[in-house]
Amino acid sequence: MSELFLIFEMNGYGFFIWSAYGVWFVLLILLFLKVLLRKKEINRKLKYLIEKNDGFEE
Amino acid sequence: MLRKLHKYANPNKFSLIIMPIKNVCLYTALPLIAIGLIIGLFFSPPDYQQGETVRIMYIHVSSAWISLFAYVLIFLLSVFYLIWKFPLFVLMAKEIPFVAIIFTLITLITGSLWGKPTWGTYWVWDARLTSFLILLFIYLGLIFIDKAFKYNVNGDLSFSYLSIIGAINIPIIKFSVDWWNTLHQPASVIRASGPSINIEMLIPLMIMSTGVLLLFFYLIFTNIQSAIAEKKILFLSSKD
Amino acid sequence: MNNLFYIILKKDFKDNLLSNKAWFTISFFLLCLIIFPLAFGSSQYLELNVSISAIWISTLFANLIALDHMYKEDYNDGTLLYYIVNKVPLVIVVYAKCLSHWLFSGLPIILIAPLCSYIFSGYSENNLNLFISLILATPIFTLIGSPIAALMLGSSLRGAALTFITLPFYLPIIIFGVMGTNINNSNINAEFYLLLAILSIGIIFFPMITVKILKSIIN
Amino acid sequence: MKKKLSLTVTKLTCKRNSISIFNPLSFKVSEGQMLIIKGKNGRGKTTLIHCLAGLLSYQGLVKWKGVEGKIGYIGHKFGLKEYETVYDFIKFWKAVYDSKVSIDEVVEFFSLFNVLFSPIAFLSFGQKKKLTFVRLYFFNNNVWLLDEPFSGMDDNNRELIVNMIESHISNKGMVVLSTHEKGRILNIKNTKELVIE
């Protein structure tokens, strides 16, 4: 248990290192979600429009 | 040559071509990032000067490279668009700023978190930090000009010309640490006389950078596909 | 060629005077300056640093505000279109416009700034530095602004967007300018050489790119 | 030896937002001829004239032969400054074109005595439109592209412009003119008509 704590403490610099990695992770996840949600939304719209235009191709 | 290129410049075809590349990017990026994280956090040695805080480098430097590389990409795509007038180029270039701005933000935030234990402050107004902040604002400007010209024919041209004007900032950022004696340490990996960094730190840095670069490409390609689909939607809904 | 430059410059100069936008920039500069002593709440002299930054900030904003109507009127009433169809060399038009813009938004500020600095801080030893760095920096403001003003012409929210987009490009200039004005800076020539380098590259590069933008954006 | 003036257009289309504005056009106009482009609003008359003037990028071929100097052009926008006086306007364009024509001659031809020193803001729409023709008068260009030259003009001014066009054509010039009016608008020989659907 204390060993694990040592790893997380990082010689007293734990706060900076872990918050940096935390920020990195959170921002990347948010970006990922934004990109994927946009794709989903657009595909939904496109599907609807293609159905309305009875199988539009090119 | 040009005619051959023209065949692939068809948006629909391009969308199909990048589909497999995109997936390959994602499925190599995730393991690479995981490996890089594990090595970087637990197995790489601490620096003899900076101690454990050097572990922030693996995310800080890789995102800094990406943010600069993204601008170079935008610049090249804009120049190609202005030379050959394929709308696909500018469509690709327009999708980059949003992704790049997140990486720039990551660079700035992790950089200031790295700066507190090593320099004693979160932020100094030195050359590199300031020029990176300016890069952030230039990305914001690019996004803004894209939004301002949403339904205007001149939007593509304005975007590409602005990105060319903004490219002046890139050499300033790259060489700012060499030209001025500032707090920020000089470049230690990409320089003429070879890297000056310890090999045990270089390996996780390289793994991490490759992983993040591939992730960046995945995000860009997905955005490009969405943009192409958006164009299609606009075309379909204006048809009748 | 020289003759045409002179004709267009004269017309632009006249336009500036007749449309009453000539006095706008310098009035804005002075008004902006007055804010600083008021905001610092001191009835005495400002500190030297504060007065120098006040002058640079006012210069920056006065230039930003003036940028909006650099090409706007000629674009809206179609004069640019007639220039292009009639094959009047646009390079000359752009250089003439930049020069007349600088004459109204740069030159008055250069002349008046050392006096302002003295009035505000009661200190006149840095006036020469301020004068030189303003002479070098204000043409760069005009030159950088000109392509951006040109490429925002078609946009609907021109004024606000123009200010936002141009500001980051002005920041390096203001950094070097303030560094060059600082009298405690031992390496002061370096900043002047740097500004001079940017000016001499910019005086070719930015008008050229403005011509390209105007040609492609006109329709 | 002077080349004979001619304009050949083959399969001209213009795209905006990847939708072509008019169907491919082919026509030919030669020296001493006038082309009248007819069509309803929004059919691309202005776009066609911009393509001919080289303002827009297009697909197809537009071939000019024997054009002397610059192309004369009248568009929807007048290129007039509200605060300028008429005299300053005339003087400026005389200087730009480096023209030999004297200012008195222009003032007499367009009968601008009364308004010569008043700001352009005081002029009526028709007078402003007339003033744009001063540019054509100054420069001896043999091709004129006129976009809706008669809209908003009274009969006197209209007659003036028609006379101008007539004398220009008889001087071996060429005129391309667009209008939305129906029927025969000018009694000039050598007229071709092009209707854009």
Side-chain angles (χ1 to χ4, degrees):
Chain A
M1 191 61 202
S2 61
E3 254 176 48
L4 203 68
F5 184 74
L6 243 160
I7 290 175
F8 278 99
E9 209 202 350
M10 295 266 183
N11 273 343
Y13 294 126
F15 166 72
F16 299 109
I17 296 174
W18 291 112
S19 52
Y21 275 83
V23 165
W24 177 78
F25 193 71
V26 168
L27 281 178
L28 276 190
I29 290 292
L30 284 179
L31 177 62
F32 214 83
L33 281 180
K34 164 97 173 97
V35 169
L36 288 185
L37 284 179
R38 180 182 172 208
K39 187 189 165 193
K40 213 174 161 187
E41 171 85 19
I42 285 170
N43 279 345
R44 199 172 55 75
K45 269 191 202 165
L46 193 64
K47 215 172 183 180
Y48 169 77
L49 270 175
I50 287 176
E51 264 171 28
K52 210 183 75 178
N53 282 324
D54 354 294
F56 167 85
E57 285 293 326
E58 271 299 312
Chain B
M1 162 76 194
L2 250 170
R3 189 152 297 169
K4 263 183 192 168
L5 244 166
H6 210 287
K7 202 173 85 186
Y8 295 106
N10 178 347
N12 288 324
K13 238 170 221 165
F14 186 79
S15 190
L16 287 178
I17 290 169
I18 57 176
M19 197 67 158
I21 304 174
K22 187 185 93 175
N23 288 333
V24 168
C25 279
L26 180 65
Y27 294 125
T28 12
L30 291 181
L32 275 177
I33 290 175
I35 294 168
L37 270 182
I38 290 167
I39 299 180
L41 273 175
F42 304 114
F43 294 104
S44 76
D47 191 60
Y48 71 97
Q49 255 185 337
Q50 303 185 353
E52 299 282 353
T53 50
V54 82
R55 297 187 197 286
I56 297 177
M57 178 183 75
Y58 304 121
I59 50 176
H60 174 72
V61 173
S62 56
S63 13
W65 284 347
I66 300 268
S67 2
L68 282 179
F69 171 73
Y71 202 92
V72 176
L73 212 59
I74 295 176
F75 173 71
L76 289 178
L77 285 171
S78 308
V79 170
F80 291 159
Y81 170 69
L82 290 177
I83 295 172
W84 287 314
K85 304 278 182 215
F86 294 159
L88 187 65
F89 282 128
V90 78
L91 187 139
M92 284 158 82
K94 272 183 176 178
E95 295 311 314
I96 298 176
F98 184 77
V99 180
I101 209 168
I102 299 287
F103 281 97
T104 318
L105 259 181
I106 289 175
T107 313
L108 286 171
I109 293 173
T110 56
S112 70
L113 282 168
W114 192 5
K116 180 67 181 165
T118 41
W119 305 334
T121 54
Y122 283 110
W123 186 265
V124 263
W125 292 102
D126 86 330
R128 176 159 271 187
L129 274 72
T130 313
S131 51
F132 231 87
L133 196 63
I134 293 173
L135 181 67
L136 181 82
F137 285 122
I138 289 176
Y139 278 135
L140 266 179
L142 283 176
I143 292 176
F144 205 66
I145 206 169
D146 184 20
K147 298 255 186 272
F149 280 93
K150 188 122 201 201
Y151 300 110
N152 193 313
V153 213
N154 291 330
D156 295 352
L157 284 165
S158 297
F159 181 91
S160 27
Y161 277 120
L162 187 69
S163 70
I164 287 171
I165 299 167
I168 303 158
N169 200 32
I170 295 302
I172 295 183
I173 295 174
K174 179 73 188 77
F175 298 113
S176 57
V177 259
D178 305 328
W179 289 347
W180 294 280
N181 288 322
T182 56
L183 221 48
H184 198 282
Q185 55 179 314
S188 50
V189 180
I190 302 174
R191 53 181 209 166
S193 54
S196 70
I197 187 176
N198 189 350
I199 188 78
E200 280 177 76
M201 290 183 199
L202 189 61
I203 290 171
L205 178 60
M206 281 305 160
I207 293 175
M208 197 71 185
S209 308
T210 324
V212 177
L213 184 68
L214 289 173
L215 187 71
F216 169 76
F217 274 125
Y218 168 74
L219 294 170
I220 296 294
F221 285 153
T222 317
N223 260 345
I224 290 169
Q225 279 183 328
S226 311
I228 291 171
E230 239 168 21
K231 274 256 154 111
K232 221 171 175 178
I233 288 174
L234 220 68
F235 181 74
L236 280 179
S237 44
S238 69
K239 220 173 64 159
D240 41 5
Chain C
M1 220 58 164
N2 281 332
N3 196 22
L4 195 59
F5 178 78
Y6 175 68
I7 292 162
I8 291 173
L9 181 66
K10 207 170 104 188
K11 171 168 164 105
D12 227 54
F13 202 81
K14 243 183 196 167
D15 282 354
N16 269 304
L17 286 174
L18 284 173
S19 63
N20 288 328
K21 60 189 181 190
W23 315 116
F24 182 65
T25 318
I26 185 69
S27 330
F28 187 83
F29 172 77
L30 290 174
L31 206 63
C32 207
L33 265 183
I34 293 171
I35 294 171
F36 283 84
L38 297 179
F40 277 91
S42 62
S43 56
Q44 286 158 355
Y45 284 142
L46 287 176
E47 277 181 38
L48 181 63
N49 280 343
V50 176
S51 78
I52 288 173
S53 357
I55 284 168
W56 276 100
I57 291 170
S58 311
T59 312
L60 180 83
F61 281 110
N63 267 285
L64 271 181
I65 297 284
L67 211 57
D68 187 31
H69 42 235
M70 201 164 172
Y71 300 105
K72 188 172 92 181
E73 280 162 17
D74 277 8
Y75 175 79
N76 283 347
D77 66 20
T79 309
L80 275 175
L81 198 68
Y82 285 102
Y83 283 149
I84 290 176
V85 179
N86 291 321
K87 300 213 168 56
V88 176
L90 271 188
V91 186
I92 290 176
V93 176
V94 168
Y95 272 110
K97 283 213 165 279
C98 285
L99 184 57
S100 78
H101 183 262
W102 180 77
L103 285 178
F104 283 108
S105 72
L107 194 63
I109 290 178
I110 294 172
L111 295 177
I112 217 169
L115 185 68
C116 289
S117 168
Y118 179 65
I119 292 172
F120 275 28
S121 64
Y123 192 82
S124 61
E125 282 168 46
N126 67 327
N127 273 352
L128 186 65
N129 288 344
L130 183 65
F131 188 69
I132 296 173
S133 52
L134 274 175
I135 280 186
L136 293 175
T138 44
I140 305 180
F141 284 154
T142 303
L143 286 171
I144 294 182
S146 116
I148 302 176
L151 61 83
M152 291 307 289
L153 280 176
S155 164
S156 48
L157 23 85
R158 182 166 46 212
L162 183 63
T163 311
F164 183 84
I165 290 170
T166 322
L167 198 50
F169 295 99
Y170 280 1
L171 290 181
I173 314 302
I174 208 172
I175 290 169
F176 299 136
V178 170
M179 275 159 88
T181 312
N182 191 351
I183 199 152
N184 297 323
N185 189 350
S186 57
N187 197 13
I188 201 158
N189 283 338
E191 325 297 347
F192 290 156
Y193 286 139
L194 207 69
L195 282 175
L196 206 58
I198 297 175
L199 178 60
S200 42
I201 296 170
I203 211 163
I204 306 293
F205 176 72
F206 289 115
M208 288 301 157
I209 214 167
T210 312
V211 170
K212 284 258 172 201
I213 291 169
L214 284 178
K215 262 188 190 156
S216 54
I217 235 159
I218 197 72
N219 34 69
Chain D
M1 195 200 125
K2 251 169 67 176
K3 258 187 181 176
K4 231 184 159 193
L5 179 66
S6 75
L7 163 68
T8 322
V9 172
T10 35
K11 290 183 182 171
L12 176 74
T13 51
C14 185
K15 280 183 178 175
R16 185 162 281 196
N17 282 335
S18 67
I19 299 162
S20 49
I21 294 171
F22 41 74
N23 295 331
L25 292 171
S26 301
F27 55 85
K28 195 173 181 236
V29 193
S30 54
E31 203 171 87
Q33 260 190 338
M34 179 159 85
L35 179 77
I36 299 181
I37 303 165
K38 285 188 173 176
K40 285 175 188 165
N41 284 341
R43 294 291 156 89
K45 293 183 303 260
T46 305
T47 314
L48 176 58
I49 286 200
H50 280 192
C51 284
L52 295 181
L55 288 170
L56 281 172
S57 58
Y58 48 79
Q59 283 83 40
L61 273 177
V62 175
K63 218 173 195 178
W64 290 99
K65 262 183 194 165
V67 178
E68 271 173 22
K70 296 143 187 175
I71 291 174
Y73 169 78
I74 300 287
H76 288 296
K77 290 177 174 174
F78 296 154
L80 304 172
K81 297 265 187 299
E82 296 275 289
Y83 36 76
E84 220 177 16
T85 60
V86 175
Y87 179 76
D88 281 343
F89 171 78
I90 295 173
K91 205 176 142 196
F92 172 70
W93 283 97
K94 177 178 153 62
V96 167
Y97 284 142
D98 205 6
S99 175
K100 300 280 185 296
V101 184
S102 72
I103 293 180
D104 291 340
E105 198 186 325
V106 172
V107 172
E108 196 168 327
F109 186 84
F110 289 97
S111 57
L112 292 166
F113 303 108
N114 296 330
V115 290
L116 192 56
F117 293 106
S118 67
I120 287 174
F122 293 170
L123 266 60
S124 70
F125 185 84
Q127 280 172 316
K128 281 180 192 169
K129 188 122 205 178
K130 191 170 71 176
L131 214 52
T132 58
F133 282 88
V134 169
R135 291 198 192 91
L136 295 187
Y137 194 85
F138 269 133
F139 198 72
N140 193 19
N141 29 25
N142 50 7
V143 180
W144 288 359
L145 302 176
L146 313 178
D147 197 357
E148 306 257 3
F150 299 121
S151 62
M153 272 191 163
D154 63 0
D155 289 344
N156 280 341
N157 289 337
R158 196 182 159 124
E159 204 164 307
L160 187 85
I161 302 307
V162 171
N163 282 338
M164 228 176 128
I165 292 174
E166 259 175 348
S167 69
H168 178 68
I169 286 176
S170 58
N171 267 337
K172 294 186 174 179
M174 184 203 287
V175 175
V176 178
L177 186 149
S178 83
T179 179
H180 63 272
E181 291 168 37
K182 280 175 186 166
R184 203 171 167 80
I185 55 162
L186 295 171
N187 287 317
I188 296 176
K189 291 170 199 166
N190 286 332
T191 313
K192 270 188 175 181
E193 281 194 12
L194 179 78
V195 182
I196 303 182
E197 291 303 325

